[in-house]
Amino acid sequence: MNYKYPREEKLKQKNDISLLFEKGKWKTCGNLRVISYQIDASTSLSMTAQHKVGVSVSKRYFKKAVHRNRIKRLLREVYRLNKAQFLEKFGENSLTMLFYVSPTLPKNYQEIEEEFLKLLKK
């Protein structure tokens, strides 16, 4: 399994993000929320046929960028290490964005990983 998170997998383009928020489906489990959209062949995006993933943490709950960046690093690491299960759940051709929606800072990596795995089983 390839445990990388290359530039091609990062959700950054405004067109992709707006499409995701217009047509995506939401799921929530604990402190994690995910929005996902399956791409079909007829959709003309500026991307090749592969998945893209983004992460986000609200400024509303975490005023300091240090805390937001820490949580985003943890979310990216959880995705990177559990990419195989993630692709089984959301598919090879999808746009997905992960959100951390709790006002409390996570204690450690294991806490986020548990919630991520629960979300994938849901």
Side-chain angles (χ1 to χ4, degrees), residues 16-61:
D16 294 344
I17 294 171
S18 61
L19 176 69
L20 177 64
F21 278 98
E22 286 173 14
K23 298 183 179 181
K25 304 283 187 217
W26 289 92
K27 289 186 182 180
T28 304
C29 182
N31 296 331
L32 291 180
R33 184 173 290 160
V34 68
I35 183 171
S36 182
Y37 175 66
Q38 285 292 112
I39 301 169
D40 53 355
S42 64
T43 308
S44 62
L45 293 174
S46 61
M47 59 185 278
T48 60
Q50 75 170 19
H51 63 283
K52 288 196 174 194
V53 178
V55 295
S56 179
V57 179
S58 176
K59 199 181 218 182
R60 170 201 238 177
Y61 297 127

Side-chain angles (χ1 to χ4, degrees), residues 46 70 73 76:
S46 61
R70 167 88 175 139
R73 277 196 311 272
R76 283 191 295 264

Side-chain angles (χ1 to χ4, degrees), residues 5 78 111:
Y5 183 46
V78 165
E111 182 180 329

